[in-house]
Amino acid sequence: MLDVTVIEDAEAAAVSLDPVRARLLAELAAGPASAAMLAGKVGLPRQKVNYHLKTLERHGLVELAGERRKGNVTERLMRATAASYVISPQALAAVQPDPDRFRDQLSARWLLALGARLVRDVGSLLTGAAKARKRLATYALDGEVTFASAADRAAFVEELTAGVSALIRKYHDGEAEGGRPHRIVVAVHPEVRSDAGSEAVEVPTDPEAVEAPTDPEATH
């Protein structure tokens, strides 16, 4: 079982978003089970559960883990193909975000478009690497920093931009024979905080922040 996989097909995405099937995926991510075993957990007849399992299997979201005899019946034990799933923007190809439509480094919506493209591209690369039975070379850095003021944050962004730009100038070789382009995405955004047991999300306020004129909902 994979830790996480990307759903690229629109029909598979729709199947995974069905509440009952999403519940079955969660149960099967915890371990293999048969339709009869799942029926009691989700409160549905075995035949109904079996129908949903076949639909999930048809779209590659669950797979056969084994079989066992129970009386005169052979039960199929199913398992989820991944512990968690991410739906790629490719599943909504006609309306997927395109960060090339506009560039605004202070726009939260542009950041969102970049993140969507990241999910789409890495998902496609993972699919290709799996088919070729090759390892995909990637790198990610995740950290947290607390700024004392908006001025400190602005200074941090300025230094970060200068540092990354210097590295790109140092190592970029557009004329290298056999060279392979890589995409670099660096993002800075406020941490999401929510109260325990509450769905409410705290949105940080910044009296010194200036809204970008091209996006009235932009955030630094």
Side-chain angles (χ1 to χ4, degrees), residues 190-218:
E191 181 183 7
V192 176
R193 296 180 179 178
S194 59
D195 297 331
S198 171
E199 295 296 327
V201 175
E202 177 187 347
V203 180
T205 57
D206 184 356
E208 298 182 50
V210 178
E211 293 181 338
T214 56
D215 185 351
E217 298 184 32

PDB file of all heavy atoms in Angstrom, residues 190-218:
ATOM      1  N   PRO A 190       0.820  32.196   6.219  1.00  0.00           N
ATOM      2  CA  PRO A 190       0.532  32.065   7.650  1.00  0.00           C
ATOM      3  C   PRO A 190       0.146  30.626   7.991  1.00  0.00           C
ATOM      4  O   PRO A 190      -0.432  29.912   7.170  1.00  0.00           O
ATOM      5  CB  PRO A 190      -0.654  33.017   7.867  1.00  0.00           C
ATOM      6  CG  PRO A 190      -0.578  33.988   6.734  1.00  0.00           C
ATOM      7  CD  PRO A 190      -0.053  33.211   5.582  1.00  0.00           C
ATOM      8  N   GLU A 191       0.451  30.233   9.199  1.00  0.00           N
ATOM      9  CA  GLU A 191       0.073  28.900   9.672  1.00  0.00           C
ATOM     10  C   GLU A 191      -1.431  28.869   9.943  1.00  0.00           C
ATOM     11  O   GLU A 191      -2.001  29.828  10.466  1.00  0.00           O
ATOM     12  CB  GLU A 191       0.833  28.561  10.957  1.00  0.00           C
ATOM     13  CG  GLU A 191       0.514  27.175  11.503  1.00  0.00           C
ATOM     14  CD  GLU A 191       1.231  26.911  12.811  1.00  0.00           C
ATOM     15  OE1 GLU A 191       1.853  27.859  13.342  1.00  0.00           O
ATOM     16  OE2 GLU A 191       1.163  25.779  13.302  1.00  0.00           O
ATOM     17  N   VAL A 192      -2.060  27.763   9.569  1.00  0.00           N
ATOM     18  CA  VAL A 192      -3.483  27.594   9.817  1.00  0.00           C
ATOM     19  C   VAL A 192      -3.677  27.070  11.236  1.00  0.00           C
ATOM     20  O   VAL A 192      -3.078  26.068  11.631  1.00  0.00           O
ATOM     21  CB  VAL A 192      -4.117  26.607   8.811  1.00  0.00           C
ATOM     22  CG1 VAL A 192      -5.593  26.358   9.158  1.00  0.00           C
ATOM     23  CG2 VAL A 192      -3.997  27.149   7.393  1.00  0.00           C
ATOM     24  N   ARG A 193      -4.502  27.747  11.994  1.00  0.00           N
ATOM     25  CA  ARG A 193      -4.788  27.328  13.369  1.00  0.00           C
ATOM     26  C   ARG A 193      -6.287  27.204  13.554  1.00  0.00           C
ATOM     27  O   ARG A 193      -7.048  28.034  13.082  1.00  0.00           O
ATOM     28  CB  ARG A 193      -4.233  28.335  14.372  1.00  0.00           C
ATOM     29  CG  ARG A 193      -2.720  28.455  14.349  1.00  0.00           C
ATOM     30  CD  ARG A 193      -2.224  29.457  15.366  1.00  0.00           C
ATOM     31  NE  ARG A 193      -0.779  29.568  15.359  1.00  0.00           N
ATOM     32  CZ  ARG A 193      -0.083  30.404  16.132  1.00  0.00           C
ATOM     33  NH1 ARG A 193      -0.741  31.228  16.947  1.00  0.00           N
ATOM     34  NH2 ARG A 193       1.229  30.450  16.076  1.00  0.00           N
ATOM     35  N   SER A 194      -6.696  26.159  14.254  1.00  0.00           N
ATOM     36  CA  SER A 194      -8.112  25.968  14.546  1.00  0.00           C
ATOM     37  C   SER A 194      -8.266  25.547  15.993  1.00  0.00           C
ATOM     38  O   SER A 194      -7.395  24.908  16.568  1.00  0.00           O
ATOM     39  CB  SER A 194      -8.723  24.909  13.628  1.00  0.00           C
ATOM     40  OG  SER A 194      -8.049  23.681  13.779  1.00  0.00           O
ATOM     41  N   ASP A 195      -9.381  25.914  16.585  1.00  0.00           N
ATOM     42  CA  ASP A 195      -9.646  25.538  17.969  1.00  0.00           C
ATOM     43  C   ASP A 195      -9.918  24.047  18.048  1.00  0.00           C
ATOM     44  O   ASP A 195     -10.503  23.455  17.150  1.00  0.00           O
ATOM     45  CB  ASP A 195     -10.864  26.301  18.507  1.00  0.00           C
ATOM     46  CG  ASP A 195     -10.614  27.796  18.542  1.00  0.00           C
ATOM     47  OD1 ASP A 195      -9.433  28.178  18.692  1.00  0.00           O
ATOM     48  OD2 ASP A 195     -11.574  28.568  18.397  1.00  0.00           O
ATOM     49  N   ALA A 196      -9.489  23.410  19.134  1.00  0.00           N
ATOM     50  CA  ALA A 196      -9.717  21.983  19.321  1.00  0.00           C
ATOM     51  C   ALA A 196     -11.212  21.696  19.297  1.00  0.00           C
ATOM     52  O   ALA A 196     -11.997  22.338  19.974  1.00  0.00           O
ATOM     53  CB  ALA A 196      -9.124  21.525  20.653  1.00  0.00           C
ATOM     54  N   GLY A 197     -11.587  20.709  18.474  1.00  0.00           N
ATOM     55  CA  GLY A 197     -12.983  20.325  18.385  1.00  0.00           C
ATOM     56  C   GLY A 197     -13.843  21.289  17.616  1.00  0.00           C
ATOM     57  O   GLY A 197     -15.062  21.207  17.632  1.00  0.00           O
ATOM     58  N   SER A 198     -13.218  22.237  16.922  1.00  0.00           N
ATOM     59  CA  SER A 198     -13.986  23.231  16.161  1.00  0.00           C
ATOM     60  C   SER A 198     -13.515  23.239  14.723  1.00  0.00           C
ATOM     61  O   SER A 198     -12.346  23.005  14.435  1.00  0.00           O
ATOM     62  CB  SER A 198     -13.804  24.631  16.770  1.00  0.00           C
ATOM     63  OG  SER A 198     -14.373  25.608  15.924  1.00  0.00           O
ATOM     64  N   GLU A 199     -14.439  23.516  13.812  1.00  0.00           N
ATOM     65  CA  GLU A 199     -14.098  23.605  12.397  1.00  0.00           C
ATOM     66  C   GLU A 199     -13.647  25.007  12.028  1.00  0.00           C
ATOM     67  O   GLU A 199     -13.201  25.257  10.916  1.00  0.00           O
ATOM     68  CB  GLU A 199     -15.315  23.213  11.539  1.00  0.00           C
ATOM     69  CG  GLU A 199     -15.749  21.769  11.700  1.00  0.00           C
ATOM     70  CD  GLU A 199     -14.684  20.789  11.227  1.00  0.00           C
ATOM     71  OE1 GLU A 199     -13.958  21.123  10.285  1.00  0.00           O
ATOM     72  OE2 GLU A 199     -14.579  19.705  11.817  1.00  0.00           O
ATOM     73  N   ALA A 200     -13.785  25.946  12.950  1.00  0.00           N
ATOM     74  CA  ALA A 200     -13.430  27.332  12.655  1.00  0.00           C
ATOM     75  C   ALA A 200     -11.922  27.474  12.507  1.00  0.00           C
ATOM     76  O   ALA A 200     -11.150  26.961  13.305  1.00  0.00           O
ATOM     77  CB  ALA A 200     -13.936  28.246  13.766  1.00  0.00           C
ATOM     78  N   VAL A 201     -11.499  28.178  11.483  1.00  0.00           N
ATOM     79  CA  VAL A 201     -10.084  28.414  11.225  1.00  0.00           C
ATOM     80  C   VAL A 201      -9.752  29.853  11.549  1.00  0.00           C
ATOM     81  O   VAL A 201     -10.440  30.781  11.102  1.00  0.00           O
ATOM     82  CB  VAL A 201      -9.736  28.113   9.750  1.00  0.00           C
ATOM     83  CG1 VAL A 201      -8.286  28.479   9.471  1.00  0.00           C
ATOM     84  CG2 VAL A 201      -9.982  26.650   9.439  1.00  0.00           C
ATOM     85  N   GLU A 202      -8.703  30.043  12.321  1.00  0.00           N
ATOM     86  CA  GLU A 202      -8.280  31.397  12.688  1.00  0.00           C
ATOM     87  C   GLU A 202      -7.478  31.995  11.547  1.00  0.00           C
ATOM     88  O   GLU A 202      -6.474  31.435  11.100  1.00  0.00           O
ATOM     89  CB  GLU A 202      -7.421  31.346  13.949  1.00  0.00           C
ATOM     90  CG  GLU A 202      -6.879  32.701  14.376  1.00  0.00           C
ATOM     91  CD  GLU A 202      -5.902  32.593  15.528  1.00  0.00           C
ATOM     92  OE1 GLU A 202      -5.840  31.521  16.141  1.00  0.00           O
ATOM     93  OE2 GLU A 202      -5.196  33.589  15.794  1.00  0.00           O
ATOM     94  N   VAL A 203      -7.921  33.151  11.055  1.00  0.00           N
ATOM     95  CA  VAL A 203      -7.215  33.851   9.984  1.00  0.00           C
ATOM     96  C   VAL A 203      -6.400  34.973  10.601  1.00  0.00           C
ATOM     97  O   VAL A 203      -6.958  35.893  11.194  1.00  0.00           O
ATOM     98  CB  VAL A 203      -8.198  34.424   8.947  1.00  0.00           C
ATOM     99  CG1 VAL A 203      -7.427  35.149   7.852  1.00  0.00           C
ATOM    100  CG2 VAL A 203      -9.050  33.315   8.354  1.00  0.00           C
ATOM    101  N   PRO A 204      -5.069  34.906  10.484  1.00  0.00           N
ATOM    102  CA  PRO A 204      -4.233  35.947  11.086  1.00  0.00           C
ATOM    103  C   PRO A 204      -4.509  37.312  10.466  1.00  0.00           C
ATOM    104  O   PRO A 204      -4.723  37.430   9.262  1.00  0.00           O
ATOM    105  CB  PRO A 204      -2.800  35.485  10.760  1.00  0.00           C
ATOM    106  CG  PRO A 204      -2.926  34.038  10.374  1.00  0.00           C
ATOM    107  CD  PRO A 204      -4.289  33.887   9.798  1.00  0.00           C
ATOM    108  N   THR A 205      -4.502  38.346  11.288  1.00  0.00           N
ATOM    109  CA  THR A 205      -4.673  39.697  10.777  1.00  0.00           C
ATOM    110  C   THR A 205      -3.353  40.446  10.897  1.00  0.00           C
ATOM    111  O   THR A 205      -2.557  40.196  11.796  1.00  0.00           O
ATOM    112  CB  THR A 205      -5.750  40.450  11.579  1.00  0.00           C
ATOM    113  OG1 THR A 205      -5.393  40.462  12.971  1.00  0.00           O
ATOM    114  CG2 THR A 205      -7.099  39.769  11.426  1.00  0.00           C
ATOM    115  N   ASP A 206      -3.150  41.351   9.977  1.00  0.00           N
ATOM    116  CA  ASP A 206      -1.894  42.101   9.955  1.00  0.00           C
ATOM    117  C   ASP A 206      -2.208  43.545   9.593  1.00  0.00           C
ATOM    118  O   ASP A 206      -2.467  43.865   8.436  1.00  0.00           O
ATOM    119  CB  ASP A 206      -0.940  41.485   8.932  1.00  0.00           C
ATOM    120  CG  ASP A 206       0.417  42.165   8.930  1.00  0.00           C
ATOM    121  OD1 ASP A 206       0.583  43.153   9.669  1.00  0.00           O
ATOM    122  OD2 ASP A 206       1.316  41.709   8.211  1.00  0.00           O
ATOM    123  N   PRO A 207      -2.198  44.446  10.556  1.00  0.00           N
ATOM    124  CA  PRO A 207      -2.552  45.836  10.284  1.00  0.00           C
ATOM    125  C   PRO A 207      -1.576  46.533   9.362  1.00  0.00           C
ATOM    126  O   PRO A 207      -1.896  47.559   8.773  1.00  0.00           O
ATOM    127  CB  PRO A 207      -2.553  46.477  11.681  1.00  0.00           C
ATOM    128  CG  PRO A 207      -1.657  45.603  12.499  1.00  0.00           C
ATOM    129  CD  PRO A 207      -1.866  44.215  11.971  1.00  0.00           C
ATOM    130  N   GLU A 208      -0.356  45.960   9.207  1.00  0.00           N
ATOM    131  CA  GLU A 208       0.633  46.605   8.349  1.00  0.00           C
ATOM    132  C   GLU A 208       0.616  46.052   6.937  1.00  0.00           C
ATOM    133  O   GLU A 208       1.325  46.538   6.066  1.00  0.00           O
ATOM    134  CB  GLU A 208       2.034  46.416   8.948  1.00  0.00           C
ATOM    135  CG  GLU A 208       2.198  47.053  10.322  1.00  0.00           C
ATOM    136  CD  GLU A 208       3.606  46.878  10.839  1.00  0.00           C
ATOM    137  OE1 GLU A 208       4.550  47.181  10.090  1.00  0.00           O
ATOM    138  OE2 GLU A 208       3.779  46.438  11.985  1.00  0.00           O
ATOM    139  N   ALA A 209      -0.181  44.978   6.712  1.00  0.00           N
ATOM    140  CA  ALA A 209      -0.198  44.372   5.384  1.00  0.00           C
ATOM    141  C   ALA A 209      -0.917  45.282   4.401  1.00  0.00           C
ATOM    142  O   ALA A 209      -1.900  45.931   4.731  1.00  0.00           O
ATOM    143  CB  ALA A 209      -0.892  43.014   5.429  1.00  0.00           C
ATOM    144  N   VAL A 210      -0.432  45.300   3.165  1.00  0.00           N
ATOM    145  CA  VAL A 210      -1.042  46.098   2.108  1.00  0.00           C
ATOM    146  C   VAL A 210      -1.599  45.153   1.060  1.00  0.00           C
ATOM    147  O   VAL A 210      -0.900  44.280   0.561  1.00  0.00           O
ATOM    148  CB  VAL A 210      -0.002  47.044   1.453  1.00  0.00           C
ATOM    149  CG1 VAL A 210      -0.651  47.823   0.338  1.00  0.00           C
ATOM    150  CG2 VAL A 210       0.582  47.976   2.503  1.00  0.00           C
ATOM    151  N   GLU A 211      -2.855  45.336   0.725  1.00  0.00           N
ATOM    152  CA  GLU A 211      -3.473  44.458  -0.260  1.00  0.00           C
ATOM    153  C   GLU A 211      -2.912  44.761  -1.646  1.00  0.00           C
ATOM    154  O   GLU A 211      -2.721  45.914  -2.031  1.00  0.00           O
ATOM    155  CB  GLU A 211      -4.990  44.659  -0.265  1.00  0.00           C
ATOM    156  CG  GLU A 211      -5.658  44.198   1.024  1.00  0.00           C
ATOM    157  CD  GLU A 211      -7.146  44.406   0.951  1.00  0.00           C
ATOM    158  OE1 GLU A 211      -7.592  45.245   0.154  1.00  0.00           O
ATOM    159  OE2 GLU A 211      -7.860  43.741   1.717  1.00  0.00           O
ATOM    160  N   ALA A 212      -2.669  43.682  -2.390  1.00  0.00           N
ATOM    161  CA  ALA A 212      -2.199  43.843  -3.762  1.00  0.00           C
ATOM    162  C   ALA A 212      -3.325  44.375  -4.617  1.00  0.00           C
ATOM    163  O   ALA A 212      -4.447  43.862  -4.553  1.00  0.00           O
ATOM    164  CB  ALA A 212      -1.713  42.503  -4.314  1.00  0.00           C
ATOM    165  N   PRO A 213      -3.084  45.376  -5.439  1.00  0.00           N
ATOM    166  CA  PRO A 213      -4.161  45.969  -6.236  1.00  0.00           C
ATOM    167  C   PRO A 213      -4.799  45.012  -7.226  1.00  0.00           C
ATOM    168  O   PRO A 213      -5.936  45.177  -7.602  1.00  0.00           O
ATOM    169  CB  PRO A 213      -3.459  47.131  -6.974  1.00  0.00           C
ATOM    170  CG  PRO A 213      -2.009  46.781  -6.944  1.00  0.00           C
ATOM    171  CD  PRO A 213      -1.787  46.034  -5.671  1.00  0.00           C
ATOM    172  N   THR A 214      -4.042  43.979  -7.674  1.00  0.00           N
ATOM    173  CA  THR A 214      -4.586  43.064  -8.655  1.00  0.00           C
ATOM    174  C   THR A 214      -5.434  41.969  -8.015  1.00  0.00           C
ATOM    175  O   THR A 214      -6.098  41.229  -8.708  1.00  0.00           O
ATOM    176  CB  THR A 214      -3.444  42.384  -9.436  1.00  0.00           C
ATOM    177  OG1 THR A 214      -2.554  41.734  -8.503  1.00  0.00           O
ATOM    178  CG2 THR A 214      -2.675  43.399 -10.243  1.00  0.00           C
ATOM    179  N   ASP A 215      -5.402  41.856  -6.699  1.00  0.00           N
ATOM    180  CA  ASP A 215      -6.154  40.798  -6.017  1.00  0.00           C
ATOM    181  C   ASP A 215      -6.580  41.317  -4.657  1.00  0.00           C
ATOM    182  O   ASP A 215      -5.778  41.343  -3.727  1.00  0.00           O
ATOM    183  CB  ASP A 215      -5.303  39.539  -5.867  1.00  0.00           C
ATOM    184  CG  ASP A 215      -6.086  38.385  -5.262  1.00  0.00           C
ATOM    185  OD1 ASP A 215      -7.223  38.616  -4.810  1.00  0.00           O
ATOM    186  OD2 ASP A 215      -5.566  37.267  -5.231  1.00  0.00           O
ATOM    187  N   PRO A 216      -7.813  41.774  -4.496  1.00  0.00           N
ATOM    188  CA  PRO A 216      -8.242  42.353  -3.238  1.00  0.00           C
ATOM    189  C   PRO A 216      -8.239  41.369  -2.080  1.00  0.00           C
ATOM    190  O   PRO A 216      -8.343  41.778  -0.928  1.00  0.00           O
ATOM    191  CB  PRO A 216      -9.669  42.818  -3.543  1.00  0.00           C
ATOM    192  CG  PRO A 216     -10.106  41.981  -4.690  1.00  0.00           C
ATOM    193  CD  PRO A 216      -8.871  41.758  -5.504  1.00  0.00           C
ATOM    194  N   GLU A 217      -8.064  40.072  -2.352  1.00  0.00           N
ATOM    195  CA  GLU A 217      -8.015  39.093  -1.273  1.00  0.00           C
ATOM    196  C   GLU A 217      -6.617  38.527  -1.095  1.00  0.00           C
ATOM    197  O   GLU A 217      -6.416  37.492  -0.510  1.00  0.00           O
ATOM    198  CB  GLU A 217      -9.006  37.953  -1.551  1.00  0.00           C
ATOM    199  CG  GLU A 217     -10.451  38.436  -1.613  1.00  0.00           C
ATOM    200  CD  GLU A 217     -11.410  37.276  -1.801  1.00  0.00           C
ATOM    201  OE1 GLU A 217     -11.078  36.187  -1.294  1.00  0.00           O
ATOM    202  OE2 GLU A 217     -12.428  37.455  -2.427  1.00  0.00           O
ATOM    203  N   ALA A 218      -5.639  39.234  -1.646  1.00  0.00           N
ATOM    204  CA  ALA A 218      -4.264  38.731  -1.584  1.00  0.00           C
ATOM    205  C   ALA A 218      -3.731  38.815  -0.171  1.00  0.00           C
ATOM    206  O   ALA A 218      -4.138  39.637   0.629  1.00  0.00           O
ATOM    207  CB  ALA A 218      -3.363  39.553  -2.522  1.00  0.00           C
TER     208      ALA A 218
END
